Amino acid sequence: MPEIDPGRLLGDLRALAKFGAYKTGVHRPTFSREDVEARHWFADRLAEAGLDATIDGIGSVFGFSRAPGRKMLTGSHLESQNHAGWLDGPLGVVYGLETARALAEDPATADLGVDVAAWCDEEGHFGSFLGSRSFMGLLSEDEIDKARNRYDGTPLREALDKAALSGRPRLQFEAGRHTGYVEAHIEQGDTLEGGDLKIGIVTAIVAIWQYRLTATGEQNHAGTTGMARRRDAGLAIVRLLGEIDRRFPGLAGPRTVWTCGRITLEPGAPSIIPGRAEALLQIRDADAAVLERLQAELQRLVEEANRDGRCPIGIEVMSQSTPALMDESLQAAIAAAAEARCPGKALRMPSGAGHDAQYLARVMPGAMLFVPSIGGISHHWTENTADADIVLGAQVFCDAVVRMLRR
């Protein structure tokens, strides 16, 4: 098997971390100056590796192999969440780059082709998985016209123009070019670290079902309105969330999670009883039957809450994705590579986070490899993975790609 270069690998990751450096992490939102600079830097590294490098009209960076035969497509993303970690995304793109270099440098594998992609906006500053969906033909011009930055309202068209990407073609996958897609990522949880394990072999990427819950009450004076006559929308929504947390555990699967990430009270003043409250609820699981069971329970809880009629609660389905199953043969290639490099230290597991692989898996066999996250921390500037685990993961990834291409 070809050997990766640990110093080169870690050097590239640390060079990327300088773009938008924030404490021990990065702040590199999609199409920020630092993000655009990182994309051009990465395109230059792809070209230096002998790949045909380009940045397309949605901002995804590609390095295409000139090797004969079908290629393995690899990828992840370069932008970050706000004030977040240095490995979420870059680990996967640099693994792809280093694998392409290692294969080309070894005469025994120089005939094998690896394409590398850095998908745009996996983190969702302007939308949902813009780069990979564009590559799949699932992103319309109309959606691009309507997209806005969720933090400051900047139109996507304006951001593309400022990044000098307007007018470039948006690349789409070429049927028959790739034997599959494989993506490396930090785990973003503590399963591997807690089990003294080194490699996660992803079996499925969870579906995410999102809901908007709204309670309608009566806005009134907080000092003069007696408790008996109040219609407090904030209290109604909080009580419902408490019931969700009490009832869901008995119906959930072993890896089901649910989160209320935002509660909004109107008008939101300390001396005014809220007349309206909104909560955004998200449920994640890789088993659609579990999600359907929890949705049915959610509907029952809303109906129960509405029986007294004081603060009617409404429920709106915002989105419901489909679980993405990873390919068995590609999982087996990762498992064999891991067993050769770190016997007994791999685990098959679902991904609790969404990834571009869930879209690529719709048109080609897909796989993902995880490496441990220290303390299970991600989406925070303290996110980290031990250098030794980064290097081992890259070697297993490279070995697995060879097995995938030789099968």
Side-chain angles (χ1 to χ4, degrees), residues 307-387:
R307 282 175 190 157
D308 70 6
R310 292 179 65 82
C311 294
I313 295 176
I315 179 171
E316 174 193 349
V317 177
M318 297 177 66
S319 62
Q320 292 181 322
S321 62
T322 303
L325 300 179
M326 298 293 98
D327 181 78
E328 287 286 349
S329 65
L330 299 190
Q331 289 182 55
I334 298 173
E339 186 62 21
R341 296 284 180 174
C342 51
K345 294 293 185 178
L347 174 72
R348 295 192 188 229
M349 60 186 294
S351 169
H355 298 283
D356 292 296
Q358 68 197 67
Y359 285 97
L360 275 300
R362 296 184 183 187
V363 296
M364 65 183 76
M368 287 196 72
L369 176 152
F370 283 166
V371 296
S373 293
I374 295 174
I377 296 172
S378 185
H379 286 186
H380 188 267
W381 52 267
T382 56
E383 165 192 290
N384 204 5
T385 296
D387 284 0

Side-chain angles (χ1 to χ4, degrees), residues 95-107:
Y95 272 24
L97 168 62
E98 182 58 26
T99 295
R101 291 187 293 212
L103 266 60
E105 290 165 356
D106 189 327

Side-chain angles (χ1 to χ4, degrees), residues 23-234:
K23 297 186 179 181
T24 58
V26 297
H27 178 65
R28 197 164 60 225
T30 306
F31 294 134
S32 61
R33 175 180 58 81
E34 295 84 359
D35 176 56
V36 174
E37 289 175 352
R39 292 178 190 280
H40 284 282
W41 179 91
F42 189 66
D44 288 344
R45 302 293 80 71
L46 293 171
E48 288 174 0
L51 303 173
D52 292 328
T54 188
I55 304 175
D56 81 348
I58 199 65
S60 292
V61 187
F62 295 94
F64 294 109
S65 170
R66 301 167 190 166
R70 298 180 75 187
K71 321 295 190 290
M72 181 58 64
L73 179 60
T74 71
S76 196
H77 59 96
L78 288 169
E79 77 282 339
S80 76
Q81 286 281 351
N82 292 337
H83 307 107
W86 69 296
L87 292 170
D88 178 357
L91 181 105
V93 296
V94 173
Y95 272 24
L97 168 62
E98 182 58 26
T99 295
R101 291 187 293 212
L103 266 60
E105 290 165 356
D106 189 327
T109 55
D111 62 314
L112 300 181
V114 173
D115 289 345
V116 183
W119 310 112
C120 183
D121 206 27
E122 188 268 1
E123 295 291 8
H125 291 273
F126 287 87
S128 170
F129 300 97
L130 295 183
S132 52
R133 287 200 296 122
S134 177
F135 190 67
M136 297 282 296
L138 299 176
L139 182 67
S140 68
E141 292 294 325
D142 184 59
E143 185 176 348
I144 295 174
D145 290 338
K146 294 176 180 176
R148 299 287 187 276
N149 186 297
R150 61 175 168 164
Y151 298 102
D152 62 17
T154 301
L156 176 55
R157 292 288 188 193
E158 181 181 315
L160 288 167
D161 187 59
K162 187 175 180 180
L165 297 173
S166 295
R168 295 192 184 197
R170 291 193 285 128
L171 302 187
Q172 293 190 7
F173 80 97
E174 178 186 335
R177 178 178 175 87
H178 299 112
T179 189
Y181 174 78
V182 59
E183 179 172 349
H185 210 277
I186 56 172
E187 182 198 345
Q188 300 181 284
D190 60 2
T191 299
L192 294 177
E193 184 183 60
D196 190 27
L197 300 166
K198 297 300 181 183
I199 301 293
I201 304 161
V202 176
T203 55
I205 299 173
V206 298
I208 303 174
W209 289 16
Q210 303 191 82
Y211 306 88
R212 178 181 285 111
L213 305 170
T214 56
T216 304
E218 181 182 67
Q219 180 178 325
N220 213 331
H221 196 292
T224 61
T225 308
M227 298 303 292
R229 63 154 293 186
R230 291 184 180 216
R231 296 176 55 213
D232 188 328

Side-chain angles (χ1 to χ4, degrees), residues 215-292:
T216 304
E218 181 182 67
Q219 180 178 325
N220 213 331
H221 196 292
T224 61
T225 308
M227 298 303 292
R229 63 154 293 186
R230 291 184 180 216
R231 296 176 55 213
D232 188 328
L235 187 57
I237 209 78
V238 169
R239 282 174 173 161
L240 174 61
L241 293 171
E243 281 299 297
I244 289 169
D245 208 45
R246 187 176 69 84
R247 300 264 283 271
F248 271 22
L251 300 168
R255 289 183 175 270
T256 310
V257 295
W258 55 93
T259 305
C260 176
R262 189 178 77 186
I263 300 175
T264 306
L265 304 180
E266 296 179 8
S271 295
I272 302 177
I273 299 165
R276 184 180 184 278
E278 177 184 286
L280 300 184
L281 178 70
Q282 184 182 96
I283 310 171
R284 300 187 186 211
D285 200 278
D287 186 339
V290 171
L291 293 167
E292 290 167 0

